[in-house]
């Protein structure tokens, strides 16, 4: 994995802008701590930071190869990601007469573009964001993977395009002012930490959506969607469906274990991570690669303060021990305390370039930093709940019929803490209603479905296209800030495409959430683990955390220079903070963001406004 940035400009000679390109590139140092490279021509400048995973001795970027049309004209690539079908693509390209100087997938991708042009994306299986400059055509081509695992932000001005793996790379350009307008405020306070696909929070900044390509030339900017969820009849019965899912998951995981550096798995003891770990152990045993290293995260005194509830029915620790003993992995338990989580809130903002999931982000950032000490690549169970329907809101009538995003039902709470000026600007109810209507309008209909089937398809679509990107965003930014590559097998587009069309009755095989996934894993996991109730990413339940973020937030409210004060109703927020205790439920976002996370989120907003010197326009 890496960090990429670039600058296309028809009005300047970019060979004279090496210092600016260098600044843009160096903002991504944490994403690529192993090497740095830049490439400049008159109208195109590329920067790259490298995290070496495949062929560490070679594969430096930006990578240059002769174009198909003429040897004297080059194609140049900057690329962030992994191609899991690189061996098959390389074999095909060799048969077509291509020669290779490296064993890395960067060269495979570049040669694939040279051979097939923009259509190359149809052949790719992987997670990626890349840009290719074709010097003869004077054209930039960029693409993002189908599920949006890897990010690509861009800004278009008159005759110019800037892009980067993270907003910070674009913000480093001297002509870009860090501004946020009404729409950005709405994204932060009405939908946040979720984002509308394509929106970059910052004024003038967009994000290439999952499954899209971009072409920029002298005629301007053109966006094309090359992949999206489609509805079709599912013809397999339950047994065949389970078998197919098992085959896809095993194939996907084995492809994603390929690496020239140490690989580990994240193990929570839940169904999703336990399945991937079990499959990894089986593969390592079969190929003689030794033991699998596993990592888990927990918090000081969580065992004392944990209380079971509908969203988190049981603690992870006993189940992790169960799986470690069963599989014989080399396990590394990581534990954090309240002061570390509070301090890491600011690092999490710097990693993302805007406020995020508060301590959920912070703990993942700290977790990835610890994992990095022993591994460079980690396999994670992210996205299984969105794909297979594991969240409680898939199973609750009121959520299915709420007429809004089920992870963000608290519009009243969100409105209540905003200043009158912000309320007038963002109009929270109208904004969320518009965004929800936009999302629902995209759902691909399947003729003949009844109302229940349509509701379940809608919920699946919303989760995959609106909720899952928030978690993938978080996973990418927090892991790459630690120089750790995280792979997400449940995001394989073949698996997602297949499961999206599995009828809800089959998805709930055995009358259980994610029942068809459980059925596909029979014989892979012990029965008690296989049928364990879902438990989300662990968060701290220590009341000290609530106390710490409350205290800090009240200090910010006392600081008349705080930029946060112009955006919120300080009196209302103070009232909420002063009366909140461990029993207070303030549903800010999803399953994990409640009272303490609301206060931490506002702390992140305050820090972000100060640190980035954000202008409100």
């Amino acid at each position: 994995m890496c960090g990429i940035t670039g600058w296309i400009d028809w009005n300047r000679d970019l060979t004279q802008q090496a210092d600016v390109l260098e600044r843009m590139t160096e903002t991504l140092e944490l994403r690529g701590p192993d090497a740095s490279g830049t490439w400049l021509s008159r109208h195109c400048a590329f920067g790259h930071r490298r995290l070496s995973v495949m062929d560490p001795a070679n594969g430096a970027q930006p990578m240059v190869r002769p174009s198909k049309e003429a040897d004297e004209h080059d194609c140049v690539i900057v690329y962030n990601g992994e191609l899991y079908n690189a061996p098959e693509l390389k074999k095909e390209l060799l048969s077509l007469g291509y020669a290779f100087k490296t064993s890395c997938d960067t060269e495979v991708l570049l040669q694939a573009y040279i051979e097939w042009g923009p259509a190359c994306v149809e052949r790719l299986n992987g997670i990626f964001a890349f840009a290719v400059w074709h010097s003869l055509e004077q054209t930039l081509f960029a693409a993002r993977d189908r599920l949006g695992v890897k990010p690509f932000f861009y800004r278009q001005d008159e005759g110019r395009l800037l892009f980067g793996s993270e907003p910070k790379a674009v913000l480093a350009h001297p002509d870009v002012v860090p501004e946020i307008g009404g729409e950005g405020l709405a994204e932060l306070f009405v939908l946040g930490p979720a984002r509308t696909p394509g929106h970059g929070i910052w004024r003038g900044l967009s994000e290439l959506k999952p499954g899209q390509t971009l072409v920029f030339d002298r005629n301007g900017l053109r966006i094309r969607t090359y992949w999206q969820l489609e509805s079709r009849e599912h013809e397999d019965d339950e047994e065949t469906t389970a078998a197919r899912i098992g085959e896809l998951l095993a194939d996907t995981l084995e492809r994603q274990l390929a690496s020239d550096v140490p690989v580990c798995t994240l193990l929570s003891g839940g169904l999703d991570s336990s399945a991937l770990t079990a499959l990894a152990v089986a593969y390592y045993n079969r190929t003689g690669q030794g033991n699998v290293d596993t990592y888990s995260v927990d918090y000081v005194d969580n065992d004392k303060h944990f209380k079971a509830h509908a969203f988190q029915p049981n603690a992870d620790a006993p189940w992790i021990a169960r799986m470690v003993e069963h599989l014989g992995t080399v396990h590394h338990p990581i534990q954090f305390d309240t002061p570390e989580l509070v301090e890491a809130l600011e690092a999490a903002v710097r990693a993302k370039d805007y406020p995020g999931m508060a301590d959920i982000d912070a703990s993942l950032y700290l977790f990835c930093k610890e994992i990095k000490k022993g591994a460079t690549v980690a396999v994670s169970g992210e996205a299984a709940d969105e794909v297979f329907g594991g969240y409680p809101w898939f199973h609750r009538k009121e959520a299915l019929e709420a007429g809004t995003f089920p992870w963000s039902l608290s519009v009243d709470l969100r409105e209540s803490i905003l200043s009158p000026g912000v309320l007038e600007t963002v109009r929270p109810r109208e904004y969320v209603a518009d965004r929800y209507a936009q999302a629902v309008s995209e759902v691909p209909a399947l003729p003949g479905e009844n109302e229940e089937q349509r509701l379940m398809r809608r919920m699946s679509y919303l989760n995959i296209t609106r909720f899952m990107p928030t978690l993938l965003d978080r996973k990418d930014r927090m892991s790459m800030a630690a120089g750790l590559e995280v792979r997400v097998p449940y995001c394989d587009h073949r698996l997602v495409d297949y499961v999206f069309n599995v009828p809800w009755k089959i998805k709930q095989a055995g009358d259980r959430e994610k029942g068809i996934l459980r059925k596909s894993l029979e014989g892979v996991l012990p029965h008690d683990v296989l049928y364990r109730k879902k438990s989300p990413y662990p968060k701290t339940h220590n009341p000290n955390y609530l106390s710490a973020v409350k205290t800090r937030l009240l200090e910010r409210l006392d600081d008349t220079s705080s930029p946060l004060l112009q955006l919120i109703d300080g009196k209302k927020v103070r009232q909420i903070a002063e009366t909140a205790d461990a029993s207070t439920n303030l549903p800010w976002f999803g399953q994990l963001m409640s009272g303490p996370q609301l206060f931490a989120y506002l702390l992140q907003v305050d820090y972000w406004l100060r640190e980035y010197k954000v202008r409100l326009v």
Side-chain angles (χ1 to χ4, degrees), residues 181-487:
E183 188 171 287
L185 289 173
E187 292 285 309
L188 282 176
F189 286 110
V190 180
L191 299 182
R195 280 189 297 118
T196 303
H199 292 244
I201 303 295
W202 297 94
R203 186 167 180 264
L205 191 70
S206 299
E207 186 176 28
L208 196 60
K209 294 178 185 178
Q212 287 190 334
T213 64
L214 174 157
V215 173
F216 184 68
D217 57 23
R218 291 183 183 273
N219 295 318
L221 180 72
R222 298 181 297 285
I223 304 291
R224 179 179 77 90
T225 298
Y226 70 91
W227 185 89
Q228 58 190 343
L229 290 170
E230 296 180 355
S231 293
R232 62 180 71 91
E233 291 286 348
H234 184 77
E235 299 178 351
D236 296 339
D237 61 17
E238 186 176 301
E239 295 294 331
T240 305
T241 300
R244 178 60 177 154
I245 289 170
E247 291 167 2
L248 283 170
L249 193 56
D251 177 73
T252 297
L253 181 65
E254 291 182 13
R255 289 175 181 274
Q256 297 193 21
L257 289 173
S259 174
D260 292 333
V261 294
V263 180
C264 68
T265 72
L266 310 187
L267 179 63
S268 70
L271 172 68
D272 311 329
S273 66
S274 295
L276 297 180
T277 302
L279 291 170
V281 167
Y283 179 70
Y284 269 40
N285 288 341
R286 197 162 65 247
T287 55
Q289 295 188 55
N291 293 323
V292 172
D293 283 77
T294 53
Y295 288 79
S296 65
V297 63
D298 206 346
Y299 307 92
V300 172
D301 289 337
N302 243 19
D303 54 337
K304 297 179 183 177
H305 302 292
F306 175 82
K307 293 180 180 179
H309 54 81
F311 286 121
Q312 199 151 6
N314 46 54
D316 286 335
W319 296 97
I320 294 168
R322 170 85 170 93
M323 284 305 300
V324 169
E325 181 180 5
H326 176 72
L327 295 173
T329 66
V330 179
H331 191 63
H332 310 267
I334 309 297
Q335 192 174 74
F336 302 115
D337 203 354
T338 293
E340 297 169 276
L341 291 173
V342 175
E343 292 303 319
L345 287 171
E346 295 180 355
V349 172
R350 293 194 299 271
K352 189 173 277 189
D353 295 321
Y354 42 80
M357 293 186 74
D359 61 312
I360 315 303
D361 279 2
S363 63
L364 181 59
Y365 168 73
L366 294 172
F367 188 29
C368 289
K369 285 187 69 175
E370 290 300 311
I371 296 169
K372 177 64 176 178
K373 295 175 182 178
T376 301
V377 177
V379 174
S380 169
E382 208 78 72
D385 287 304
E386 291 86 350
V387 174
F388 287 93
Y391 292 120
W393 50 66
F394 277 92
H395 310 273
R396 293 181 174 176
K397 188 173 186 292
E398 66 272 18
L400 289 166
E401 298 177 352
T404 190
F405 301 112
W407 48 85
S408 191
L409 299 173
S410 55
V411 179
D412 289 345
L413 171 62
R414 288 171 180 262
E415 280 188 325
S416 73
I417 69 166
L418 296 177
S419 69
V422 172
L423 275 174
E424 184 178 351
T425 299
V426 307
R427 300 183 183 275
R429 292 183 185 278
E430 293 178 26
Y431 193 82
V432 73
D434 288 345
R435 292 307 183 204
Y436 181 73
Q438 175 191 354
V440 169
S441 72
E442 299 170 5
V443 181
L446 184 65
E449 286 190 324
N450 60 35
E451 182 61 22
E452 181 186 17
Q453 291 167 333
R454 285 196 294 271
L455 280 175
M456 298 316 302
R457 185 176 295 277
R458 177 193 298 174
M459 184 63 81
S460 294
Y461 185 88
L462 292 175
N463 274 262
I464 293 170
T465 66
R466 296 305 194 272
F467 189 73
M468 191 166 81
T470 306
L471 303 187
L472 293 177
D473 212 32
R474 161 181 171 262
K475 186 74 80 173
D476 171 82
R477 234 60 107 247
M478 297 308 120
S479 62
M480 293 305 293
L484 178 73
E485 174 186 323
V486 175
R487 298 176 178 177

Side-chain angles (χ1 to χ4, degrees), residues 82-112:
E82 294 291 340
L83 289 188
Y84 302 129
N85 65 336
E88 294 97 317
L89 289 173
K90 186 173 184 178
K91 183 178 180 180
E92 186 174 0
L93 289 164
L94 285 168
S95 73
L96 293 171
Y98 286 84
F100 289 84
K101 300 177 182 179
T102 74
S103 61
C104 70
D105 59 344
T106 305
E107 188 176 18
V108 174
L109 177 55
L110 180 54
Q111 301 281 39

